[in-house]
Coordinates of all heavy atoms in Angstrom, one line a residue:
I1 N 110.3 65.5 76.7 CA 110.7 66.8 76.3 C 109.8 67.4 75.3 O 109.4 68.5 75.3 CB 112.2 66.7 75.7 CG1 113.1 66.3 76.8 CG2 112.6 68.0 75.1 CD1 114.5 66.0 76.3
A2 N 109.4 66.5 74.3 CA 108.5 67.0 73.2 C 107.1 67.4 73.8 O 106.6 68.5 73.4 CB 108.3 65.9 72.2
S3 N 106.6 66.7 74.8 CA 105.3 67.1 75.4 C 105.5 68.4 76.1 O 104.6 69.3 75.9 CB 104.9 66.0 76.4 OG 104.7 64.8 75.8
L4 N 106.6 68.7 76.8 CA 106.8 69.9 77.5 C 107.0 71.1 76.5 O 106.4 72.2 76.6 CB 107.9 69.8 78.4 CG 108.2 71.1 79.3 CD1 107.0 71.5 80.1 CD2 109.4 70.8 80.2
W5 N 107.7 70.8 75.4 CA 108.0 71.8 74.4 C 106.7 72.3 73.8 O 106.4 73.5 73.6 CB 108.9 71.2 73.3 CG 110.3 71.6 73.4 CD1 111.2 71.5 74.4 CD2 111.0 72.2 72.3 NE1 112.4 72.0 74.1 CE2 112.4 72.4 72.8 CE3 110.8 72.6 71.0 CZ2 113.3 73.0 72.0 CZ3 111.7 73.2 70.2 CH2 113.0 73.4 70.8
L6 N 105.9 71.3 73.3 CA 104.6 71.7 72.6 C 103.7 72.4 73.6 O 103.0 73.3 73.2 CB 104.0 70.4 72.0 CG 104.8 69.7 70.9 CD1 104.2 68.4 70.5 CD2 104.9 70.6 69.7
F7 N 103.6 71.9 74.8 CA 102.8 72.6 75.8 C 103.2 74.0 76.0 O 102.4 74.9 76.0 CB 102.8 71.8 77.1 CG 101.9 72.4 78.2 CD1 100.6 72.0 78.3 CD2 102.4 73.3 79.0 CE1 99.7 72.5 79.2 CE2 101.5 73.9 80.0 CZ 100.2 73.5 80.1
L8 N 104.5 74.2 76.2 CA 105.0 75.6 76.4 C 104.7 76.4 75.2 O 104.4 77.6 75.3 CB 106.5 75.5 76.6 CG 107.0 75.4 78.1 CD1 108.5 75.2 78.1 CD2 106.7 76.7 78.8
M9 N 105.0 75.9 74.0 CA 104.7 76.7 72.8 C 103.3 77.1 72.7 O 103.0 78.3 72.4 CB 105.1 75.8 71.6 CG 105.0 76.5 70.2 SD 103.3 76.3 69.5 CE 103.2 74.6 69.2
A10 N 102.3 76.2 73.0 CA 100.9 76.6 72.9 C 100.6 77.6 74.0 O 99.9 78.6 73.7 CB 100.1 75.3 73.1
A11 N 101.0 77.4 75.2 CA 100.7 78.3 76.3 C 101.3 79.7 76.1 O 100.6 80.7 76.3 CB 101.1 77.7 77.6
M12 N 102.5 79.7 75.7 CA 103.2 81.0 75.5 C 102.7 81.8 74.3 O 102.6 83.0 74.4 CB 104.7 80.7 75.3 CG 105.4 80.2 76.6 SD 107.1 79.7 76.3 CE 108.0 81.2 76.2
T13 N 102.2 81.1 73.3 CA 101.6 81.8 72.1 C 100.3 82.4 72.5 O 100.0 83.5 72.2 CB 101.4 80.8 71.0 OG1 102.7 80.2 70.6 CG2 100.9 81.5 69.8
L14 N 99.5 81.7 73.3 CA 98.2 82.2 73.7 C 98.4 83.4 74.6 O 97.7 84.5 74.5 CB 97.4 81.1 74.5 CG 96.7 80.1 73.6 CD1 96.3 78.9 74.5 CD2 95.5 80.6 72.9
V15 N 99.3 83.3 75.6 CA 99.6 84.5 76.5 C 100.2 85.7 75.7 O 99.8 86.8 75.9 CB 100.5 84.1 77.6 CG1 101.0 85.3 78.4 CG2 99.9 83.0 78.5
A16 N 101.0 85.4 74.7 CA 101.6 86.4 73.9 C 100.5 87.2 73.1 O 100.6 88.4 73.0 CB 102.6 85.9 72.9
Y17 N 99.5 86.5 72.6 CA 98.4 87.1 71.8 C 97.6 88.0 72.8 O 97.3 89.2 72.4 CB 97.6 86.0 71.2 CG 96.4 86.6 70.5 CD1 96.5 86.9 69.1 CD2 95.1 86.8 71.1 CE1 95.4 87.4 68.4 CE2 94.1 87.4 70.4 CZ 94.2 87.6 69.0 OH 93.1 88.2 68.4
L18 N 97.2 87.4 73.9 CA 96.4 88.2 74.9 C 97.1 89.4 75.4 O 96.5 90.5 75.6 CB 96.0 87.3 76.0 CG 95.1 86.2 75.7 CD1 94.8 85.3 76.9 CD2 93.7 86.7 75.1
S19 N 98.5 89.3 75.6 CA 99.2 90.4 76.1 C 99.3 91.5 75.0 O 99.2 92.7 75.3 CB 100.6 90.0 76.5 OG 101.4 91.0 76.9
H20 N 99.6 91.1 73.7 CA 99.7 92.1 72.6 C 98.4 92.8 72.4 O 98.4 94.0 72.0 CB 100.2 91.3 71.4 CG 100.4 92.2 70.2 ND1 101.5 93.0 70.0 CD2 99.6 92.4 69.1 CE1 101.3 93.7 68.9 NE2 100.2 93.3 68.3
K21 N 97.3 92.1 72.6 CA 96.0 92.7 72.3 C 95.5 93.6 73.5 O 94.4 94.2 73.4 CB 95.0 91.7 72.0 CG 95.2 91.0 70.7 CD 95.1 91.9 69.5 CE 95.3 91.2 68.2 NZ 95.2 92.1 67.0
G22 N 96.3 93.6 74.6 CA 95.9 94.5 75.7 C 94.9 93.9 76.7 O 94.4 94.6 77.5
V23 N 94.6 92.6 76.5 CA 93.7 91.9 77.4 C 94.2 91.9 78.8 O 93.5 92.2 79.8 CB 93.3 90.5 76.9 CG1 92.4 89.8 77.8 CG2 92.7 90.6 75.5
I24 N 95.4 91.4 79.0 CA 96.0 91.4 80.3 C 96.1 92.7 80.9 O 95.8 92.9 82.1 CB 97.4 90.6 80.3 CG1 97.2 89.2 79.8 CG2 98.1 90.7 81.6 CD1 98.5 88.4 79.7
D25 N 96.5 93.7 80.1 CA 96.6 95.1 80.6 C 95.2 95.6 81.1 O 95.1 96.3 82.1 CB 97.1 96.0 79.5 CG 97.6 97.3 80.1 OD1 98.0 97.4 81.3 OD2 97.6 98.3 79.3
G26 N 94.2 95.2 80.3 CA 92.8 95.6 80.7 C 92.4 94.9 82.0 O 91.7 95.6 82.8
I27 N 92.8 93.7 82.2 CA 92.5 93.0 83.5 C 93.1 93.7 84.7 O 92.5 93.9 85.7 CB 92.9 91.5 83.4 CG1 92.0 90.8 82.3 CG2 92.7 90.8 84.7 CD1 92.4 89.4 82.1
V28 N 94.4 94.1 84.5 CA 95.1 94.8 85.5 C 94.4 96.1 85.9 O 94.2 96.4 87.1 CB 96.6 95.0 85.1 CG1 97.3 95.9 86.1 CG2 97.3 93.7 85.0
N29 N 94.0 96.8 84.9 CA 93.3 98.1 85.1 C 92.0 97.9 85.8 O 91.6 98.8 86.6 CB 93.1 98.8 83.8 CG 94.4 99.4 83.2 OD1 95.4 99.6 83.9 ND2 94.4 99.6 81.9
A30 N 91.3 96.8 85.5 CA 90.0 96.6 86.1 C 90.1 96.1 87.5 O 89.3 96.5 88.4 CB 89.2 95.6 85.2
L31 N 91.1 95.3 87.8 CA 91.1 94.7 89.1 C 91.9 95.5 90.2 O 91.5 95.5 91.4 CB 91.8 93.3 89.0 CG 91.0 92.2 88.2 CD1 91.7 90.9 88.2 CD2 89.6 92.0 88.8
L32 N 93.0 96.1 89.8 CA 93.8 96.8 90.8 C 93.3 98.2 91.0 O 93.0 98.9 90.0 CB 95.3 96.8 90.3 CG 95.9 95.4 90.2 CD1 97.4 95.6 89.8 CD2 95.8 94.7 91.5
P33 N 93.4 98.7 92.2 CA 93.0 100.1 92.5 C 94.1 101.1 92.0 O 95.2 100.7 91.7 CB 92.9 100.1 94.0 CG 93.8 99.0 94.5 CD 93.7 98.0 93.4
E34 N 93.7 102.4 92.0 CA 94.7 103.4 91.5 C 95.9 103.5 92.5 O 97.0 103.7 92.0 CB 94.0 104.7 91.4 CG 93.0 104.8 90.2 CD 92.5 106.2 90.0 OE1 93.0 107.1 90.7 OE2 91.6 106.3 89.2
R35 N 95.7 103.3 93.8 CA 96.8 103.4 94.7 C 96.7 102.1 95.6 O 95.7 101.6 96.0 CB 96.6 104.6 95.6 CG 96.9 105.9 95.0 CD 96.8 107.1 95.9 NE 97.2 108.3 95.3 CZ 98.5 108.8 95.3 NH1 99.4 108.0 95.9 NH2 98.7 109.9 94.7
M36 N 97.9 101.6 95.8 CA 98.1 100.4 96.6 C 99.5 100.3 97.2 O 100.4 100.6 96.5 CB 97.7 99.1 95.8 CG 97.8 97.8 96.6 SD 97.2 96.4 95.6 CE 98.1 96.6 94.1
S37 N 99.6 99.9 98.4 CA 100.9 99.7 99.0 C 101.7 98.5 98.4 O 101.0 97.6 97.9 CB 100.8 99.6 100.5 OG 100.2 98.3 100.9
E38 N 103.0 98.6 98.4 CA 103.8 97.5 97.9 C 103.6 96.2 98.7 O 103.6 95.1 98.2 CB 105.3 97.9 97.8 CG 105.5 99.0 96.9 CD 107.0 99.5 96.9 OE1 107.6 99.3 98.0 OE2 107.4 100.1 96.0
R39 N 103.4 96.4 100.0 CA 103.1 95.2 100.9 C 101.8 94.5 100.5 O 101.7 93.3 100.4 CB 103.1 95.6 102.3 CG 104.5 96.0 102.9 CD 104.3 96.6 104.3 NE 105.6 96.8 104.9 CZ 106.3 96.0 105.7 NH1 105.8 94.8 105.9 NH2 107.5 96.3 106.2
K40 N 100.8 95.3 100.2 CA 99.5 94.7 99.9 C 99.6 94.0 98.5 O 99.0 93.0 98.3 CB 98.4 95.8 99.8 CG 97.0 95.3 99.5 CD 96.0 96.4 99.6 CE 94.6 95.9 99.3 NZ 93.6 96.9 99.3
L41 N 100.3 94.6 97.6 CA 100.5 94.0 96.3 C 101.3 92.7 96.4 O 101.0 91.7 95.7 CB 101.3 94.9 95.4 CG 101.7 94.4 94.0 CD1 100.4 94.0 93.2 CD2 102.6 95.3 93.2
M42 N 102.2 92.6 97.4 CA 102.9 91.4 97.6 C 102.0 90.2 98.0 O 102.0 89.1 97.5 CB 104.0 91.6 98.7 CG 104.9 90.4 98.9 SD 106.0 90.0 97.5 CE 107.2 91.4 97.7
L43 N 101.1 90.6 99.0 CA 100.2 89.6 99.5 C 99.2 89.2 98.4 O 98.9 88.0 98.2 CB 99.5 90.1 100.7 CG 98.5 89.1 101.4 CD1 99.3 87.9 101.9 CD2 97.8 89.8 102.6
L44 N 98.7 90.1 97.6 CA 97.8 89.8 96.6 C 98.4 89.0 95.5 O 97.8 88.1 94.9 CB 97.2 91.1 96.0 CG 96.2 91.9 96.9 CD1 95.8 93.2 96.2 CD2 95.0 91.1 97.2
T45 N 99.7 89.3 95.2 CA 100.4 88.5 94.2 C 100.5 87.0 94.6 O 100.2 86.1 93.8 CB 101.8 89.1 94.0 OG1 101.7 90.4 93.5 CG2 102.6 88.2 92.9
G46 N 100.9 86.8 95.8 CA 101.0 85.4 96.3 C 99.6 84.7 96.3 O 99.5 83.6 95.9

């Protein structure tokens, strides 16, 4: 349990920082086109 807790804490903190700083938002803007069908997004997500 402790190993999973500490791992989760570290991973979630790193992702929280990158999300707050707009890094993930910037990646989304760079990779995804302005228009895309919901079906295509489903396949790309998988």
Side-chain angles (χ1 to χ4, degrees):
I1 294 171
S3 297
L4 182 57
W5 257 58
L6 293 172
F7 181 89
L8 266 174
M9 182 271 295
M12 293 171 77
T13 304
L14 283 163
V15 172
Y17 179 89
L18 294 176
S19 180
H20 180 76
K21 292 297 183 178
V23 176
I24 294 178
D25 197 25
I27 293 174
V28 172
N29 287 337
L31 295 181
L32 296 181
E34 292 187 3
R35 287 182 175 272
M36 181 171 51
S37 67
E38 293 174 339
R39 288 175 176 268
K40 184 177 180 180
L41 177 62
M42 184 69 74
L43 185 59
L44 289 177
T45 299

